Amino acid sequence: MGNNIVFNDKNSLLRDHEIEGMKSQLELVHNELHSKTGKGNDFLGWLDYPSSFDRQEFERVKSAAKKIRKDSEILVVAGIGGSYLGARAVIESLKHSFSELLPREKRNSPHILYVGNNLSSNYIMELLEVIRGREISLNVISKSGKTIETSISFRILREYMEKTYGERARDRIYVTTDRHNSAIGDLAKLEGYQTFTIPGDIGGRYSVFTSVGMLPVAVAGFDVDEIMRGASDAQIEYSEPDIEKNPCYRYAVERNALNRRGKDVEILTIYDPSLQYLAEWWKQLFGESEGKDGKGILPMSLCFTTDLHSMGQYIQDGKKNLFETVINVEKPKKDFYMFADNENLDGLNYLSGKTVDFINKKAMEGTMKAHVDGGVSNLMITIPELNEYYIGKLLYFFQKACAISGYMLGVNPFDQPGVEDYKRNTIELLKADEKKMNLNII
């Protein structure tokens, strides 16, 4: 396999002519994307970002991360959607599954906690309980600086930090936002917070390789240079227009071919719980990019074998309007050999000498066979192992595939008008309620 991501479509149940018939459209959308003449072309900064990113800011990110790692037990990341999911996807994929319970000398990095990704008063108050009396830093991430979930959390956390640290709070608050047009950016200038840039031509769900993702990831102790190297290699590899040489394009085309067959639900299936937040990031990427104009493939995710015991029955015997995309990791971070037991009361001695990962892979093969036999198309994306390089490459793989797939669907993959509607309605309702209260007071 080398250092390649491999796409396997032997269980797609598609016929050659279905793919062949889409090659001319693929050529058109490839040219639209790379000539920057398609829909949403003012948000294509992510396309060549891995090779053209601001090296000076990147070094500032690493320097800030080093400071945070030195003086903080906890980094609180305030953001929602693309402002936190990319970083969390990388961190959760790479970290120890129980890092929160490891002693500091084994963990060797601050805890990363998240806020501003919901409006739960319970969550916010319990977070304040956890951080009280501990050394913390805060990274607030918002392009506009007006996202209500993030802004509320930031106001609460900023007050806490000012009460705790006084003037020194400004040395522990880091703001990642738009350089030119941001309410939170204006506040950062006023208070003297260190700031990092969300490029104006990169939307939130495509921003993982910017300071949005790389600052928290660096604080967590992972090699951001390797992540960018993986993304840079992916940028080159997935610019190849030939579908036979570009697994990223092959994936984009085949999910569209399946959609034309009436498959309007895609389940991203993982076999390692550490990939849960990568799946959450993937759902936002495709859901927010494609779900518009009455079109789109509904992205869902399941973790097997866990969810086989709740959703496996539906996939096997339910409506056939779905297909699966399986993420297969060839080499686990850690493994364990099964051993023989003299009494063998559980009947598992036949597994002696086999690793748990080997057993997991056989469960994956058996599940795919059952689902394909039941008429469910399965696609597979295989990465050699979970490390910084391959995570960088995989994230870019999905970003590029999403852009191509969205263009093939005939939508703008880079806006989110439905999300803006919910934000506007929420603010209008809150302001209307404030007016009622003022009238009652009068």
Side-chain angles (χ1 to χ4, degrees):
M1 174 178 284
N3 61 353
N4 292 326
I5 290 174
V6 174
F7 177 69
N8 188 324
D9 62 353
K10 69 178 182 180
N11 292 314
S12 70
L13 306 181
L14 290 166
R15 296 176 180 149
D16 290 343
H17 71 84
E18 292 177 90
I19 307 301
E20 199 66 33
M22 299 176 74
K23 285 184 176 179
S24 58
Q25 186 191 6
L26 174 64
E27 184 180 353
L28 287 173
V29 300
H30 167 84
N31 291 333
E32 276 188 329
L33 186 64
H34 281 269
S35 65
K36 300 186 178 182
T37 57
K39 297 178 180 178
N41 55 58
D42 50 342
F43 281 95
L44 290 178
W46 61 272
L47 189 61
D48 58 1
Y49 189 83
S51 62
S52 65
F53 66 92
D54 185 336
R55 266 65 175 176
Q56 194 171 23
E57 169 142 330
F58 194 67
E59 290 304 316
R60 289 201 305 114
V61 163
K62 291 193 285 186
S63 177
K66 186 177 180 180
K67 178 181 181 299
I68 294 168
R69 285 167 59 81
K70 182 180 178 182
D71 63 22
S72 301
E73 293 177 74
I74 295 170
L75 171 67
V76 179
V77 176
I80 194 168
S83 293
Y84 94 105
L85 277 172
R88 194 165 190 177
V90 175
I91 292 167
E92 298 288 335
S93 297
L94 298 176
K95 76 179 183 70
H96 189 290
S97 298
F98 305 100
S99 62
E100 290 78 8
L101 300 176
L102 289 174
R104 178 64 191 257
E105 62 270 15
K106 288 190 176 181
R107 186 164 38 84
N108 196 32
S109 65
H111 295 293
I112 312 294
L113 303 181
Y114 304 90
V115 74
N117 54 354
N118 60 62
L119 286 170
S120 166
S121 57
N122 291 335
Y123 183 95
I124 296 169
M125 295 307 295
E126 288 170 1
L127 179 100
L128 288 172
E129 290 176 19
V130 166
I131 66 175
R132 190 164 287 117
R134 304 174 77 172
E135 298 293 339
I136 71 165
S137 292
L138 172 64
N139 178 207
V140 58
I141 307 167
S142 174
K143 191 165 190 177
S144 67
K146 296 180 180 178
T147 306
I148 190 166
E149 295 91 342
T150 303
S151 296
I152 287 172
S153 295
F154 180 49
R155 177 178 285 201
I156 294 167
L157 266 293
R158 183 164 62 94
E159 181 191 47
Y160 169 82
M161 293 190 73
E162 287 173 350
K163 285 181 177 178
T164 303
Y165 295 108
E167 290 187 2
R168 293 183 296 119
R170 69 177 54 142
D171 297 324
R172 290 175 172 267
I173 296 175
Y174 302 83
V175 174
T176 310
T177 190
D178 187 273
R179 180 174 293 167
H180 303 294
N181 185 26
S182 165
I184 206 169
D186 294 339
L187 177 63
K189 290 176 186 175
L190 185 67
E191 297 291 341
Y193 303 146
Q194 187 169 354
T195 60
F196 298 96
T197 303
I198 306 175
D201 57 355
I202 298 180
R205 59 189 178 274
Y206 290 87
S207 67
V208 61
F209 297 118
T210 72
S211 302
V212 170
M214 293 301 100
L215 178 57
V217 169
V219 173
F222 300 112
D223 189 339
V224 290
D225 289 299
E226 274 296 284
I227 291 171
M228 296 306 292
R229 188 171 74 87
S232 180
D233 285 355
Q235 179 190 329
I236 296 167
E237 184 177 339
Y238 305 140
S239 63
E240 166 61 57
D242 185 350
I243 192 175
E244 306 303 331
K245 299 177 182 177
N246 190 334
C248 169
Y249 281 15
R250 187 94 189 181
Y251 167 62
V253 166
E254 293 199 11
R255 63 193 306 276
N256 272 266
L258 288 165
N259 186 229
R260 293 178 186 186
R261 278 192 173 196
K263 311 293 185 183
D264 51 18
V265 177
E266 179 178 11
I267 301 173
L268 189 73
T269 303
I270 58 174
Y271 281 80
D272 186 331
S274 68
L275 293 173
Q276 175 190 349
Y277 272 91
L278 186 136
E280 293 299 318
W281 172 86
W282 173 89
K283 282 193 288 190
Q284 189 213 359
L285 178 68
F286 280 90
E288 207 166 76
S289 296
E290 292 189 335
K292 54 199 72 164
D293 303 335
K295 302 175 184 178
I297 301 167
L298 176 65
M300 297 178 59
S301 64
L302 294 173
C303 182
F304 289 169
T305 61
T306 305
D307 291 332
L308 281 173
H309 296 262
S310 58
M311 295 296 292
Q313 173 63 40
Y314 186 92
I315 296 170
Q316 183 73 26
D317 290 335
K319 289 178 68 175
K320 301 305 178 189
N321 65 332
L322 55 86
F323 65 97
E324 290 178 89
T325 297
V326 178
I327 295 186
N328 173 39
V329 181
E330 276 203 330
K331 180 184 176 183
K333 288 180 279 188
K334 299 176 181 177
D335 211 351
F336 183 81
Y337 281 91
M338 291 297 292
F339 51 86
D341 179 81
N342 289 336
E343 295 179 349
N344 194 32
L345 295 178
D346 54 14
L348 293 178
N349 274 359
Y350 74 99
L351 297 176
S352 177
K354 296 179 174 64
T355 69
V356 173
D357 184 65
F358 175 84
I359 298 165
N360 195 31
K361 294 287 199 301
K362 291 303 173 186
M364 178 179 69
E365 291 174 23
T367 301
M368 289 180 67
K369 185 178 186 309
H371 290 178
V372 171
D373 288 347
V376 179
S377 295
N378 266 246
L379 310 175
M380 179 181 278
I381 297 167
T382 298
I383 64 173
E385 59 184 298
L386 281 177
N387 62 23
E388 290 93 334
Y389 176 83
Y390 291 116
I391 286 294
K393 200 166 191 183
L394 184 63
L395 293 173
Y396 192 90
F397 175 103
F398 280 131
Q399 286 184 343
K400 188 72 178 292
C402 184
I404 290 291
S405 182
Y407 274 175
M408 294 189 82
L409 276 170
V411 301
N412 178 355
F414 310 113
D415 66 355
Q416 53 277 340
V419 176
E420 299 307 322
D421 286 348
Y422 114 77
K423 291 179 183 178
R424 183 169 54 253
N425 289 345
T426 301
I427 291 169
E428 286 176 0
L429 288 167
L430 287 168
K431 288 184 175 179
D433 192 63
E434 180 189 28
K435 288 177 182 177
K436 287 180 185 177
M437 289 178 65
N438 290 337
L439 286 172
N440 288 335
I441 291 171
I442 293 168

